[in-house]
Amino acid sequence: MTDPNFVIGRLVIQEKLHPMITWSFRNSGLSVDEYKRYRSRVAGYVDRLKKAARQKDYTVHETSIALPGDRRIIRDVDRLVDRLRAPAPLLVVVGIGGSNLGAQAVYEALRGPSAVVMGASNVGELLFADTVDRFKFSHIENEIAIARRQKRRVILNIISKSGSTTETIMNAELLVKKAGPFQPEDVVVTTDEHSPLWELAKKSEYHVLAIPKIVGGRYSVFTAVGLFPLAIAHLDVAAMLSGARWAVRQCLGSLHSSPAVKSASVLYHHATHGRAINDNFFFRTDLESLGKWYRQLMGESIGKEGNGMMPTVSIGSTDLHSMGQLYLGGPQDKVTTFIAVWGQDDNMRLPKKTALGSLVGGVIDGRSTDEVLQAILKGTQAAYARKKHPFMQATFSELNEFNFGAFMQWKMIEMMFLGKLLGVNAFDQPNVEEYKTVTRRLLANY
Ligand code: PA5
């Protein structure tokens, strides 16, 4: 009773879904029969997703799957990018949650930290203003001042679907007042068509980019929300979209080999069998923001009506030295997704004979950082397997736009399947709205 497309304990199957990404479900702790049961429960939904992937009319929530193939979106973004990208500007993204996490994840992994302006850079750079924090704000104000001294163009990209998120509106207002003036041609507003912010932007002669109304914040990275800032930073958004389209084919092409059906089944199984924590363990420090993007995707999509999983983000090997004991010896309430990047040239290698190597028994002599990190990951996984802690693994052979697009699309489709299995609406966020309304009421009555 083996399914060649899935993995059970005795079979060592590593799926090659693309030369650039490899996934393994070998230690997922799910039997073939259990998997088949879950697969049959989402079979009908696959047809709905396939149909949604072909539609570009944005009438059902799932049509976010069609975004990477929607030429109108990329055309509108391109048109504006052509006008604003040269000379390499500093663009401040003012947005929070689904309105900034996707772009920040891609930018920080492919360009480096988003907290400082590199200055000498001849490509556009991004800063992100999300929460209202005077320390962070002063830092951004400072970076803008440096960019202005360097005679760089500074652009504000105010992103808000609703157009009424307190933090975003306050940051936008503060930036205009304290780091301005901004000419109307240096302000880009990305919002739902005809939202109050849209109307105000039009009146102020700002540039406007539309978000399809049906596409929620956490599913919007392939709209202007993610594409515009990333394109300003000279990231290859076309490659990102092509990675996303590839993932759609992988996830919806065949039910038997769909990675999204598999990962959703694994997560669902464990969530309903006492392991409601999904730890996403990234063995690359620059993927922490990707972890935060996924955390929002999972948290807001399925955390409702008493259901859900708690998504956590760990960084290897750093967090092994703070959380490893808990993960291995604590409560058996987690299912882990390891994410690693191996394969690129690693020239950070120690010489064959080192001065300090003998302190660790000579095992690091002649080794590269990747080799050592890989050994740590393998050691960790061996310990997890011994304790029967379930885990999956994704390996990127390279961090690039294509793979990012593929990974993000995969995870968004996974979340739709997971919502289906749990019987919750994966597209709304009623309780986020709740706190927003109360916040506004409290502020009004201060
Ligand atoms: O995913 C979501 O819907 C939320 O996290 C929103 O993205 C976040 O609250 C920001 O909302 P808005 O884009 O309306 O400013």
Side-chain angles (χ1 to χ4, degrees), residues 182-439:
F182 289 90
Q183 298 306 313
E185 63 265 27
D186 291 335
V187 181
V188 179
V189 168
T190 310
T191 185
D192 280 2
E193 216 165 329
H194 304 305
S195 75
L197 180 62
W198 171 282
E199 302 300 344
L200 193 138
K202 286 269 182 199
K203 226 181 272 162
S204 311
E205 297 182 348
Y206 297 155
H207 303 284
V208 283
L209 288 167
I211 312 169
K213 198 166 176 46
I214 198 91
V215 177
R218 58 191 176 275
Y219 294 96
S220 69
V221 65
F222 301 134
T223 68
V225 169
L227 300 180
F228 175 72
L230 293 172
I232 286 285
H234 284 76
L235 285 156
D236 188 348
V237 294
M240 190 165 105
L241 295 174
S242 113
R245 289 195 298 273
W246 171 81
V248 171
R249 291 193 296 277
Q250 297 299 322
C251 294
L252 303 181
S254 150
L255 188 57
H256 291 266
S257 61
S258 164
V261 173
K262 289 178 186 176
S263 51
S265 299
V266 170
L267 292 168
Y268 173 73
H269 175 81
H270 291 297
T272 51
H273 288 79
R275 293 180 183 272
I277 298 174
N278 175 215
D279 187 41
N280 293 274
F281 213 146
F282 292 86
F283 272 61
R284 258 300 273 251
T285 51
D286 48 9
L287 290 183
E288 186 162 0
S289 291
L290 181 63
K292 289 187 176 168
W293 171 83
Y294 181 75
R295 194 174 63 172
Q296 185 210 14
L297 180 67
M298 175 177 265
E300 282 191 358
S301 299
I302 60 165
K304 53 197 65 158
E305 298 154 32
N307 290 289
M309 287 190 95
M310 168 85 166
T312 57
V313 182
S314 302
I315 298 299
S317 64
T318 315
D319 292 336
L320 283 172
H321 296 266
S322 60
M323 301 297 282
Q325 173 58 39
L326 172 77
Y327 292 165
L328 283 162
Q332 306 259 317
D333 51 3
K334 300 165 203 67
V335 48
T336 302
T337 310
F338 288 104
I339 296 116
V341 187
W342 315 128
Q344 278 169 307
D345 277 354
D346 176 12
N347 52 16
M348 205 71 86
R349 184 178 291 280
L350 287 177
K352 289 223 160 54
K353 211 76 219 113
T354 62
L356 296 179
S358 63
L359 295 176
V360 287
V363 296
I364 58 168
D365 290 0
R367 295 294 187 186
S368 70
T369 49
D370 265 15
E371 283 168 358
V372 172
L373 199 59
Q374 239 181 82
I376 296 172
L377 175 59
K378 282 190 183 147
T380 308
Q381 291 184 340
Y384 272 57
R386 252 196 318 276
K387 294 237 172 226
K388 298 209 177 343
H389 292 340
F391 62 88
M392 309 177 259
Q393 186 178 335
T395 311
F396 293 80
S397 65
E398 195 182 324
L399 276 193
N400 59 28
E401 290 89 339
F402 182 97
N403 287 341
F404 249 85
F407 182 83
M408 292 172 120
Q409 183 65 282
W410 178 334
K411 290 288 150 182
M412 288 189 274
I413 296 175
E414 167 196 286
M415 214 46 66
M416 295 177 197
F417 284 128
L418 194 50
K420 193 77 202 158
L421 285 165
L422 286 165
V424 296
N425 177 352
F427 303 98
D428 65 357
Q429 57 284 328
N431 306 96
V432 179
E433 305 308 328
E434 216 168 79
Y435 101 78
K436 285 185 178 180
T437 314
V438 179
T439 302

Side-chain angles (χ1 to χ4, degrees), residues 26-283:
R26 184 181 170 188
N27 290 86
S28 64
L30 202 55
S31 74
V32 170
D33 286 341
E34 281 161 336
Y35 168 61
K36 281 185 174 167
R37 243 194 343 267
Y38 303 133
R39 194 175 67 191
S40 67
R41 283 177 51 188
V42 294
Y45 192 51
V46 173
D47 294 333
R48 181 179 167 92
L49 295 190
K50 276 187 186 159
K51 199 166 158 218
R54 286 192 300 270
Q55 284 170 341
K56 304 233 170 31
D57 56 359
Y58 304 105
T59 49
V60 294
H61 287 293
E62 289 86 348
T63 30
S64 62
I65 300 175
L67 289 166
D70 189 338
R71 284 168 205 270
R72 288 168 302 179
I73 291 179
I74 190 80
R75 192 195 54 213
D76 289 352
V77 166
D78 269 352
R79 206 177 280 152
L80 194 52
V81 167
D82 281 347
R83 289 173 63 181
L84 300 179
R85 191 158 66 178
L90 168 67
L91 182 131
V92 184
V93 174
V94 188
I96 197 162
S99 289
N100 80 335
L101 288 170
Q104 190 164 359
V106 181
Y107 184 79
E108 292 193 347
L110 302 184
R111 279 271 183 275
S114 62
V116 277
V117 179
M118 311 301 268
S121 161
N122 55 2
V123 292
E125 290 182 83
L126 307 184
L127 290 177
F128 294 87
D130 46 20
T131 181
V132 278
D133 170 342
R134 66 195 160 99
F135 300 103
K136 189 169 179 178
F137 186 86
S138 324
H139 176 73
I140 292 174
E141 212 186 335
N142 244 345
E143 295 297 318
I144 292 177
I146 294 170
R148 288 206 199 278
R149 280 202 293 279
Q150 292 168 344
K151 306 262 178 280
R152 294 181 75 176
R153 184 174 194 170
V154 180
I155 301 172
L156 280 193
N157 184 193
I158 304 162
I159 310 180
S160 177
K161 255 193 88 58
S162 59
S164 59
T165 297
T166 309
E167 295 94 320
T168 303
I169 300 303
M170 182 160 186
N171 275 330
E173 193 65 52
L174 273 173
L175 280 167
V176 169
K177 290 274 169 327
K178 293 174 79 68
F182 289 90
Q183 298 306 313
E185 63 265 27
D186 291 335
V187 181
V188 179
V189 168
T190 310
T191 185
D192 280 2
E193 216 165 329
H194 304 305
S195 75
L197 180 62
W198 171 282
E199 302 300 344
L200 193 138
K202 286 269 182 199
K203 226 181 272 162
S204 311
E205 297 182 348
Y206 297 155
H207 303 284
V208 283
L209 288 167
I211 312 169
K213 198 166 176 46
I214 198 91
V215 177
R218 58 191 176 275
Y219 294 96
S220 69
V221 65
F222 301 134
T223 68
V225 169
L227 300 180
F228 175 72
L230 293 172
I232 286 285
H234 284 76
L235 285 156
D236 188 348
V237 294
M240 190 165 105
L241 295 174
S242 113
R245 289 195 298 273
W246 171 81
V248 171
R249 291 193 296 277
Q250 297 299 322
C251 294
L252 303 181
S254 150
L255 188 57
H256 291 266
S257 61
S258 164
V261 173
K262 289 178 186 176
S263 51
S265 299
V266 170
L267 292 168
Y268 173 73
H269 175 81
H270 291 297
T272 51
H273 288 79
R275 293 180 183 272
I277 298 174
N278 175 215
D279 187 41
N280 293 274
F281 213 146
F282 292 86
F283 272 61

